[in-house]
Amino acid sequence: PPSYFSPFRLITHPTRPREAIECYKRALLGSDASSTSISTRLAKLYDEIEDAHAAASYHQQIIDVSQLENKPVHAFAKSLLYVARFHAERGGGDLKRAVCYAERVAQSNAEEVAAANELLKRMAGLVGGEAEKQGASAGGEGGSAGRQGKVGEDEVPPGTAI
């Protein structure tokens, strides 16, 4: 074994994700703002330790950078789908964002299209229920059901908090 200690050896050690997270956070401080590789690793590590909120935050950073750089959807589809699932199924609660992100993936040429379509099917009842609640509270007028499918209008702007 080497006589020196390398903090980056922790990164590949599967039983020490918290130490790896701290290493990556320090590396993120000195990294290029347009680089998403460290955020991707942090999101994965947070997901491994079952901190969905932190993982979703890093995936949102990946989405924001990718949108600002006009990357194709397939380049950040995994992050779009993760954040969509977080909001639809894991307590995030922003169903509008979940639908928007899942639709973007479903309408792309990414390999995650089938997963996005399945998520959209599962959310159909949730979104329909929310639209009915909103329509009932607004006196039965103007619910949000007519806005579904218009990704351009519903697109969540970069930098929007989780």
Side-chain angles (χ1 to χ4, degrees):
S3 60
Y4 65 91
F5 174 75
S6 171
F8 294 101
R9 287 182 56 211
L10 295 172
I11 293 169
T12 59
H13 199 286
T15 62
R16 300 175 78 174
R18 293 191 191 281
E19 290 92 345
I21 287 169
E22 292 308 314
C23 288
Y24 277 121
K25 282 183 170 180
R26 285 191 295 276
L28 190 60
L29 295 174
S31 72
D32 179 13
S34 65
S35 174
T36 58
S37 62
I38 296 173
S39 294
T40 302
R41 290 183 178 126
L42 280 164
K44 182 178 179 182
L45 285 166
Y46 274 113
D47 191 49
E48 285 177 14
I49 63 169
E50 298 179 5
D51 187 341
H53 190 271
S57 290
Y58 282 102
H59 279 292
Q60 186 64 54
Q61 288 179 16
I62 294 163
I63 293 166
D64 294 344
V65 168
S66 298
Q67 287 177 340
L68 288 173
E69 294 183 352
N70 294 319
K71 290 184 180 179
V73 170
H74 69 83
F76 59 104
K78 284 179 177 38
S79 291
L80 286 165
L81 201 52
Y82 188 95
V83 174
R85 284 183 179 135
F86 171 73
H87 285 292
E89 302 172 342
R90 298 183 81 183
D94 188 345
L95 292 179
K96 180 178 177 182
R97 182 184 309 216
V99 169
C100 175
Y101 285 0
E103 284 178 342
R104 287 188 67 194
V105 175
Q107 296 168 2
S108 74
N109 62 349
E111 66 183 66
E112 295 82 7
V113 168
N117 283 322
E118 285 299 314
L119 179 59
L120 285 166
K121 286 177 188 175
R122 289 193 307 269
M123 286 191 298
L126 294 174
V127 173
E130 286 294 314
E132 288 174 17
K133 286 179 193 174
Q134 289 175 3
S137 67
E141 296 179 17
S144 62
R147 293 174 46 108
Q148 274 187 357
K150 297 182 183 175
V151 175
E153 288 179 16
D154 290 344
E155 189 168 310
V156 178
T160 306
I162 289 292

